[in-house]
Amino acid sequence: MADPVISVENLTVQYGDHRVLDGVNLNIEAGEVMALLGGSGSGKTTVLRHIIGLERPTSGTIRIRGVDINRCSPKELKGIRRTMGVAFQECALFNAMSIEENVALPLHELTTLADPVIEIMTSMKLATVGLSQAARQMPQELSGGMKKRAAVARATALDPEILVFDEPSAGLDPIVAAGLDELILLLKRAFHMTILVVTHELASAFRVADRVAMLERGSLIAVDDKDAFQKSTQPRIRQFLDRVPDPIAESADVQDRFRELAGITGGRA
Amino acid sequence: MNVLEAIGGGALRGLAYIGGLTMQGWAGLRATPRVLPLVGKPGRWRAALRQMAAVGVDALPMVGTMSLCAGFILAMQAGAELRRFGALQYVMDTVAVGFTRELGPLLTAFVVSGRSGSAFSAEIGTMMVTSEIDALRTMAIDPIEFVLAPKYLAAIITIPCLSIMSNAFGILAGFGFMLITTRYRFSMYLRYVANSIQLHDVFIGLLKSLVFAVIIVNVGCLEGFRTRGGPDAVGRSATSAVVWSTFLVILADVFFTAIFYLVHKS
């Protein structure tokens, strides 16, 4: 079996006394879509930020195509980053630039292509995500879904081998979110990209992913193909899949506090 | 113990800040040649030109007005005293030398710090909180070269130029005072001013304004890069940039003036 494209070994991240990630191990194979699931504060975005080299871990190793990104030279890291595209949750489009300038930016900065070639490539990328008509618009003039697609166009500008999405469906209506899922699948099929999607949207994860991993309080509690994951009997996974809330509101203290706030006197019901 | 801890903590934070300024300053100066036309990256020069317009051209009305006012105030204050000794003509020396060596660079630095230092910080701070700086890093684009270097080049070119303009406006205000009080002719005034200013006065002023430029751009950008959190953090960074750059500009001015005074005395 070929080496994984992304390999996370014993990733531990600690800020002061607070351990955010505790020995996370995760391998992502070439050409697969991996969805990293987890509740709020479970550490998903921290894993993503370490994989894309924005943070240095307390301990552990992250390898991209066999290269340890925290121990390689700046030149090697630059080379690795050129093969990765990242679509951030906030889109991170440059507000002072139009959409086409945003998409053309990596081509201008990191290639020696002539301007007409860059123009053609930019048009193609925008057409792929269905934003040809919005090329001249500024990011602040676009809807949330259009911004996400523009971010994908920019992330794919250099035809990366690896694509990373941080909460792609966050804040989008179900129809637009479904459109974005189809775009992720299209990119996988057409360009054979290795894709990591960090999300807490179950429908989106099960639509796009080949395999699913789940984080719980900084530890990876499952890595499985999506069908097996959906059938899991592990209590925490079932709770997540079945949308069962933590029993905070049922505790006696909370109930008493609610009654006090509502001005209800007398014994418990 | 708490007092000692507070002093120690403050000293460590201060040292870390100066260390951050030094490292960023060095990285910025190293990246600046890559913004120059012909030798630099194509297109980067245009970003520097936009910054020059924002830092220099747009600040000119404010610098001009403040310098005219300050020049007139200085001339009036000096005139009130010198008139008692029958030495009103020394108002021209006071204004010309005072502006060339001191007030021109200082006033310019205050205006640019308030306008552009805060703007640098707010721009970079916003880029930090909206993950734009992270996006640059993941695209293998150096934020120092892309964001900071055009600002560096713009500041070190335009602030000395603005400082020269400030000198001119201040000296013009001195002429306004002399015209009103003694009906001095402009040609005579210019001749007197030319005789009272020496070349090294001009160089000292330019050197100061160059150092002030580096301080303002460096502090503004560092405060921007240190921004964490949401929109309120951007506001705090902008305020901090103005406060720190004004403080450091005055500190640098005291240092330079003391050195030049000692050199001049010996």
Side-chain angles (χ1 to χ4, degrees):
Chain A
M1 194 172 169
D3 286 339
V5 173
I6 300 172
S7 167
V8 179
E9 292 166 25
N10 285 318
L11 178 64
T12 300
V13 177
Q14 191 156 342
Y15 301 124
D17 294 334
H18 179 49
R19 185 162 282 209
V20 182
L21 295 176
D22 192 7
V24 172
N25 288 290
L26 182 67
N27 288 333
I28 305 174
E29 308 296 335
E32 79 168 338
V33 180
M34 169 73 80
L36 182 57
L37 289 173
S40 301
S42 59
K44 316 185 284 293
T45 300
T46 309
V47 171
L48 177 142
R49 289 181 66 82
H50 282 80
I51 287 175
I52 61 180
L54 289 176
E55 312 274 353
R56 290 183 82 85
T58 307
S59 65
T61 311
I62 294 152
R63 289 195 171 83
I64 307 291
R65 290 196 316 281
V67 179
D68 183 343
I69 60 168
N70 293 302
R71 287 179 185 83
C72 64
S73 68
K75 197 177 171 187
E76 275 180 306
L77 183 61
K78 196 172 178 180
I80 288 167
R81 281 179 164 161
R82 284 185 64 152
T83 64
M84 285 177 100
V86 183
F88 286 88
Q89 183 177 355
E90 309 87 352
C91 302
L93 296 168
F94 299 107
N95 282 320
M97 297 180 187
S98 69
I99 296 304
E100 65 180 352
E101 285 169 338
N102 263 284
V103 177
L105 180 71
L107 297 164
H108 277 298
E109 290 290 326
L110 302 170
T111 71
T112 51
L113 295 170
D115 285 352
V117 180
I118 290 177
E119 217 169 286
I120 293 166
M121 287 182 71
T122 305
S123 304
M124 284 167 62
K125 297 295 171 191
L126 286 171
T128 308
V129 299
L131 281 182
S132 297
Q133 304 299 317
R136 300 281 160 88
Q137 285 182 269
M138 302 303 280
Q140 53 270 30
E141 295 168 345
L142 302 188
S143 67
M146 289 166 90
K147 275 187 197 170
K148 294 265 184 185
R149 283 187 281 150
V152 174
R154 190 180 66 184
T156 57
L158 291 171
D159 294 327
E161 294 165 35
I162 303 163
L163 200 51
V164 179
F165 289 89
D166 187 11
E167 302 281 6
S169 315
L172 300 181
D173 70 58
I175 297 169
V176 177
L180 208 62
D181 292 344
E182 294 311 309
L183 179 60
I184 293 171
L185 288 171
L186 172 79
L187 291 169
K188 185 207 168 191
R189 279 197 300 269
F191 304 106
H192 308 290
M193 289 174 181
T194 304
I195 299 175
L196 170 64
V197 182
V198 170
T199 184
H200 62 265
E201 303 277 345
L202 292 173
S204 174
F206 295 138
R207 174 78 189 116
V208 300
D210 299 312
R211 287 197 302 150
V212 177
M214 185 168 165
L215 268 173
E216 169 66 15
R217 292 183 190 144
S219 297
L220 208 58
I221 57 169
V223 184
D224 222 330
D225 69 73
K226 65 179 171 188
D227 295 328
F229 184 85
Q230 288 180 83
K231 289 173 192 156
S232 173
T233 54
Q234 203 177 325
R236 195 62 188 170
I237 296 175
R238 283 269 43 104
Q239 185 190 1
F240 192 79
L241 294 175
D242 300 337
R243 293 170 55 93
V244 179
D246 283 327
I248 299 168
E250 287 169 17
S251 76
D253 287 348
V254 175
Q255 291 292 324
D256 286 346
R257 180 76 183 130
F258 282 159
R259 265 193 286 277
E260 190 186 315
L261 287 170
I264 301 167
T265 53
R268 284 176 192 149
Chain B
M1 190 62 187
N2 281 340
V3 175
L4 283 176
E5 273 178 9
I7 293 169
L12 284 175
R13 279 194 297 278
L15 286 173
Y17 194 81
I18 291 166
L21 277 178
T22 312
M23 283 168 67
Q24 184 195 259
W26 176 238
L29 286 174
R30 278 181 60 192
T32 300
R34 295 199 284 274
V35 183
L36 293 171
L38 303 175
V39 291
K41 209 162 181 59
R44 210 45 70 72
W45 172 241
R46 278 197 292 276
L49 282 179
R50 278 197 295 274
Q51 291 293 335
M52 282 182 207
V55 176
V57 181
D58 295 352
L60 194 54
M62 179 70 85
V63 168
T65 310
M66 279 181 69
S67 302
L68 277 173
C69 294
F72 209 73
I73 291 166
L74 180 64
M76 285 191 291
Q77 294 286 7
E81 292 301 311
L82 292 168
R83 187 191 293 277
R84 286 164 41 197
F85 305 104
L88 200 60
Q89 73 273 22
Y90 288 114
V91 166
M92 295 180 278
D93 294 81
T94 308
V95 172
V97 176
F99 254 88
T100 315
R101 278 194 197 171
E102 199 63 56
L103 279 176
L106 208 56
L107 278 176
T108 304
F110 288 160
V111 171
V112 176
S113 164
R115 284 186 79 257
S116 304
S118 57
F120 293 157
S121 165
E123 181 192 328
I124 298 173
T126 307
M127 291 178 83
M128 287 294 292
V129 300
T130 56
S131 302
E132 289 174 42
I133 297 291
D134 284 344
L136 283 174
R137 289 170 66 197
T138 57
M139 284 190 278
I141 300 171
D142 181 9
I144 295 287
E145 187 185 323
F146 187 79
V147 181
L148 195 141
K151 292 176 174 48
Y152 249 82
L153 190 66
I156 59 179
I157 289 176
T158 55
I159 292 178
C161 295
L162 275 176
S163 187
I164 291 170
M165 296 304 290
S166 170
N167 295 344
F169 280 110
I171 290 169
L172 196 65
F175 167 68
F177 174 79
M178 293 305 287
L179 182 71
I180 293 166
T181 52
T182 61
R183 303 280 167 209
Y184 236 72
R185 286 206 313 276
F186 190 59
S187 57
M188 272 175 69
Y189 179 78
L190 277 186
R191 221 173 8 253
Y192 197 94
V193 165
N195 287 333
S196 62
I197 303 173
Q198 292 178 1
L199 202 57
H200 75 261
D201 294 327
V202 180
F203 279 127
I204 288 169
L206 285 178
L207 183 65
K208 277 185 180 178
S209 64
L210 199 64
V211 172
F212 296 165
V214 172
I215 289 172
I216 292 165
V217 70
N218 216 1
V219 171
C221 292
L222 186 68
E223 288 295 338
F225 280 118
R226 283 157 55 107
T227 306
R228 298 286 183 280
D232 55 331
V234 176
R236 277 199 302 276
S237 293
T239 307
S240 197
V242 177
V243 171
W244 273 104
S245 57
T246 307
F247 172 69
L248 290 174
V249 159
I250 290 177
L251 218 59
D253 196 25
V254 169
F255 176 74
F256 273 105
T257 308
I259 285 183
F260 294 134
Y261 175 76
L262 290 173
V263 169
H264 194 68
K265 205 173 77 170
S266 62

